[in-house]
Amino acid sequence: MLRIINDVLYYGLFVLAAAMPISIAATNIVWILLFLVWIAKLLLIKDRRAFVSPVTLPLAVFFCSTLFSALLGLNVSRSFSSLNSELLFLIFFLVSANIRDINHAKQILFVFIASSALMGVLAILQFSFNISSYGWLSLIDGRAHGTRSWSQTYAEGLLIALPVCLYAFLFCKTKRIFLYIFSSLIFAGIILSYVRMVWITCIFLISVILISEAKQLKKVLLTFAGILIVFVAVTTFLLPNRINILKRARNMTEPVRINMWKASVEIFKDYPIFGVGKKNIKGIFSYKYKKLNLPSQYFMLSHLHNNFIHLLVERGIVGLLSFLYLVFAIFYFAIKRIRKSTRDEKFIITGCLFAFFGFLISGLTEYSYGDSEIQMIIWLIAGIMFHKKKAVFLDRDGTINDDMHYSADIDKLKIFPTSASAIRMLNDSGFRVIITTNQSGIARGRFSRESLDKLNEEVIRRLKEEHAVIDGVYVCPHHPDEHCKCRKPGIGMLLKAEKEFDINISASFVVGDMETDIQLAKNAGCRGVFVLSGAEKTPPVVADYVASDILEAAKWIAAQKG
């Protein structure tokens, strides 16, 4: 049963990524069904840490500020009836918790990029067959919209896909020709949307990427040359009057946004702390327009064409600050992740981070956060950025090397011949590899913490020489009589690793040569592998697998699904 659920979640994320650029109705159906399946899985495996994430607290603060705004706003019933859109952040947890490994994350992004490129093709078709008899294929106000109800939504969605696609092209070793074509098609769709702020944001993002990826200059220039060719081709052969698109880009004299922001300041002065509440701007906006003697053509406006101003007016200074706290947390923890990531992970996180940055920049002239279609895509991207890693927690003595017998003498260190190849296999399978070791020799006075640290550094160095990477080392220095929380089978060391590396413990493994290692796995809710290379030769009955050594353990772990 659990294997079926895992497969549904695995393949369901591909369907979700494919649906997001195309259909809001399909996206809602898919993510809600997947979420219910995931909750059923959590109840089945009794996972208590499913919603643990670096940004869980900021998300909770932002959601609570929205609830307070709804409760204290002008029309409580209207505000609460619109709170369903605030639950879209659950997509973040759904995605982050159910990505199996880095390859799964890359494949999901590739599907999302391909689906976005398909919308670029549709934009070209809309311009090529702009005839009323084609119905939805015709343009909206002379602008491409894909399958969206409005060109702004369409352009914002492609804007989020563009930097992800560019980074995939720059750093992926395969599928480059497809990514090159996809980048060009996505950019073509953005051009044909006629959304000026998205154009400006694209130019800005491309410039920053060009500067930040100077080492990839040749590939960057090749990409942008292709994009330029697409731009020239589209504006030359497809637009009915190619001068109009440039004229529209230069026309920045429209006063509508400036006037609505003036009115927004007046509303904020009256409701500064928690704002007017969700969906209540429309009811008060016309009054402020009249008060300022501004033009009346937008009296019934329901949003303020700026993410930050809209949140300030709708949810007050508390809501805006909580949103800024969430944005800061996303950037802070994503950059922190990049510094600890492999090459493949870096390009995924960096591309997604640029996508989020583009969403914020274009949101200076549009309330894109209030667009549920865009919000869904943003949470998909954020979930991929912060997907939980699976880990293998390795005991040291008796598992990686001969038992040191209360010693930290480097001269006595003998790493097993199979250790490097086993750890390298786990690295290649997308696992974090972390050493967790009880070292009561420190408390017993047999050696110092400094000596132990030097020994662990030597273990890491020797393994690294054979291209086997240890991501972290956690040590319990306490005596058994101290009854600390970190000494195995206590789960203290695993909880520290979970927080630092954002690990999905329920999908992880513990490998060791002692019964306490297997008991640790059971206490943490993950699987335990007992190896016969240490002092104990009688495997615990509760072990999920018994291996002759670390290499056999690694082969078994790498073969597991979900």
Side-chain angles (χ1 to χ4, degrees):
M1 181 64 178
L2 186 58
R3 182 179 291 274
I4 294 173
I5 290 176
N6 284 331
D7 286 343
V8 169
L9 292 170
Y10 180 87
Y11 293 107
L13 291 182
F14 292 128
V15 178
L16 181 65
M20 279 194 175
I22 300 173
S23 169
I24 184 173
T27 303
N28 273 319
I29 292 171
V30 172
W31 90 258
I32 291 172
L33 288 176
L34 287 178
F35 188 78
L36 293 176
V37 171
W38 181 45
I39 294 300
K41 174 185 174 180
L42 297 182
L43 294 174
L44 186 64
I45 65 176
K46 299 179 181 179
D47 187 356
R48 303 185 303 274
R49 294 179 294 270
F51 292 91
V52 173
S53 162
V55 295
T56 296
L57 178 59
L59 272 170
V61 170
F62 181 56
F63 184 69
C64 288
S65 72
T66 302
L67 290 178
F68 277 114
S69 172
L71 185 63
L72 302 174
L74 294 178
N75 189 316
V76 177
S77 61
R78 182 185 294 124
S79 293
F80 270 91
S81 67
S82 66
L83 284 178
N84 60 317
S85 63
E86 295 301 314
L87 296 176
L88 293 175
F89 71 86
L90 293 174
I91 294 174
F92 166 81
F93 292 104
L94 170 68
V95 174
S96 64
N98 290 292
I99 291 178
R100 287 187 184 175
D101 51 41
I102 190 65
N103 289 326
H104 191 199
K106 287 165 65 176
Q107 290 164 358
I108 292 170
L109 278 178
F110 190 83
V111 170
F112 171 67
I113 291 167
S115 186
S116 299
L118 181 62
M119 292 299 96
V121 173
L122 186 55
I124 295 172
L125 290 175
Q126 284 172 335
F127 259 96
S128 301
F129 301 97
N130 185 23
I131 304 172
S132 58
S133 61
Y134 279 84
W136 61 269
L137 192 57
S138 61
L139 303 179
I140 296 177
D141 191 27
R143 305 157 71 180
H145 60 92
T147 54
R148 302 300 193 184
S149 59
W150 181 235
S151 300
Q152 180 75 40
T153 302
Y154 170 71
E156 291 278 353
L158 294 186
L159 173 65
I160 294 169
L162 183 60
V164 177
C165 190
L166 290 177
Y167 266 89
F169 170 75
L170 292 176
F171 290 95
C172 271
K173 295 179 180 179
T174 59
K175 302 177 182 176
R176 277 186 179 162
I177 185 63
F178 293 105
L179 293 167
Y180 187 72
I181 295 170
F182 291 167
S183 298
S184 301
L185 291 172
I186 290 169
F187 194 75
I190 290 172
I191 294 170
L192 297 174
S193 69
Y194 276 53
V195 181
R196 289 170 295 177
M197 192 58 193
V198 174
W199 295 352
I200 294 169
T201 305
C202 277
I203 294 170
F204 178 75
L205 287 178
I206 289 171
S207 300
V208 174
I209 292 172
L210 182 62
I211 294 170
S212 61
E213 301 299 337
K215 293 180 181 179
Q216 300 282 340
L217 186 59
K218 183 177 178 181
K219 294 177 187 174
V220 173
L221 292 176
L222 181 63
T223 305
F224 298 153
I227 288 174
L228 183 61
I229 292 170
V230 169
F231 177 78
V232 172
V234 168
T235 55
T236 302
F237 299 109
L238 294 179
L239 298 186
N241 185 350
R242 61 180 179 274
I243 301 300
N244 288 346
I245 196 169
L246 301 177
K247 182 179 178 180
R248 184 182 179 92
R250 292 196 302 269
N251 182 14
M252 304 297 287
T253 60
E254 294 174 297
V256 174
R257 282 181 172 81
I258 301 300
N259 287 338
M260 73 174 65
W261 294 339
K262 288 179 181 178
S264 300
V265 172
E266 297 303 315
I267 299 173
F268 169 68
K269 288 179 182 178
D270 293 340
Y271 306 92
I273 307 302
F274 291 104
V276 299
K278 278 182 64 63
K279 298 297 182 181
N280 288 323
I281 287 176
K282 187 175 182 178
I284 195 173
F285 192 75
S286 59
Y287 166 71
K288 293 300 178 182
Y289 245 90
K290 291 176 181 177
K291 181 180 178 181
L292 295 173
N293 294 317
L294 296 171
S296 61
Q297 66 266 42
Y298 281 84
F299 274 4
M300 301 307 289
L301 194 74
S302 59
H303 64 278
L304 302 178
H305 285 278
N306 182 295
N307 281 332
F308 305 98
I309 292 175
H310 188 102
L311 289 171
L312 180 65
V313 173
E314 186 179 73
R315 312 182 198 196
I317 190 67
V318 173
L320 179 61
L321 289 177
S322 64
F323 180 72
L324 293 176
Y325 171 42
L326 173 59
V327 169
F328 171 80
I330 288 173
F331 275 85
Y332 174 79
F333 287 110
I335 292 171
K336 192 174 179 181
R337 259 201 155 199
I338 288 170
R339 292 173 178 171
K340 295 181 178 181
S341 296
T342 63
R343 184 176 182 274
D344 281 353
E345 289 175 308
K346 282 180 181 177
F347 96 74
I348 286 178
I349 299 172
T350 306
C352 291
L353 196 58
F354 267 106
F356 193 85
F357 186 48
F359 156 76
L360 294 175
I361 296 297
S362 66
L364 294 175
T365 60
E366 184 62 39
Y367 181 44
S368 52
Y369 182 79
D371 192 328
S372 58
E373 293 147 294
I374 300 304
Q375 199 180 144
M376 287 175 176
I377 294 175
I378 283 299
W379 291 129
L380 171 75
I381 293 297
I384 293 173
M385 264 199 291
F386 291 100
H387 72 272
K388 288 179 175 292
K389 294 281 292 182
K390 295 185 294 185
V392 177
F393 298 97
L394 297 176
D395 179 48
R396 197 195 70 186
D397 296 337
T399 303
I400 297 174
N401 53 266
D402 275 337
D403 198 315
M404 300 290 289
H405 300 294
Y406 296 115
S407 173
D409 187 352
I410 292 177
D411 293 335
K412 295 181 180 180
L413 176 64
K414 294 181 180 179
I415 295 177
F416 294 137
T418 57
S419 292
S421 55
I423 293 169
R424 191 164 57 246
M425 180 184 296
L426 296 173
N427 295 150
D428 294 341
S429 298
F431 289 94
R432 294 283 191 193
V433 181
I434 296 170
I435 294 175
T436 55
T437 176
N438 289 343
Q439 294 293 335
S440 64
I442 296 174
R444 299 173 194 270
R446 301 290 185 91
F447 49 83
S448 66
R449 180 59 188 257
E450 290 75 16
S451 298
L452 178 66
D453 289 341
K454 289 180 180 178
L455 176 64
N456 288 332
E457 289 171 5
E458 180 65 16
V459 172
I460 293 171
R461 187 191 66 80
R462 292 188 190 180
L463 291 169
K464 191 174 182 179
E465 285 181 348
E466 298 187 56
H467 309 290
V469 177
I470 298 293
D471 294 290
V473 178
Y474 293 87
V475 173
C476 172
H478 304 110
H479 192 280
D481 294 340
E482 294 181 63
H483 303 293
C484 66
K485 295 181 180 180
C486 59
R487 182 175 175 82
K488 294 186 282 187
I491 64 174
M493 289 187 283
L494 269 62
L495 294 180
K496 288 182 180 179
E498 177 189 41
K499 184 176 181 181
E500 183 171 352
F501 292 99
D502 198 20
I503 290 169
N504 184 353
I505 290 184
S506 65
S508 298
F509 299 81
V510 174
V511 179
D513 67 317
M514 304 286 286
E515 185 175 355
T516 51
D517 295 304
I518 306 305
Q519 190 57 51
L520 166 65
K522 298 308 167 187
N523 291 343
C526 57
R527 284 173 280 185
V529 180
F530 186 84
V531 291
L532 299 171
S533 53
E536 293 188 10
K537 300 300 181 183
T538 304
V541 176
V542 292
D544 292 281
Y545 187 73
V546 178
S548 59
D549 60 11
I550 188 174
L551 181 58
E552 185 183 341
K555 289 178 180 177
W556 182 80
I557 291 170
Q560 303 308 298
K561 302 290 185 183

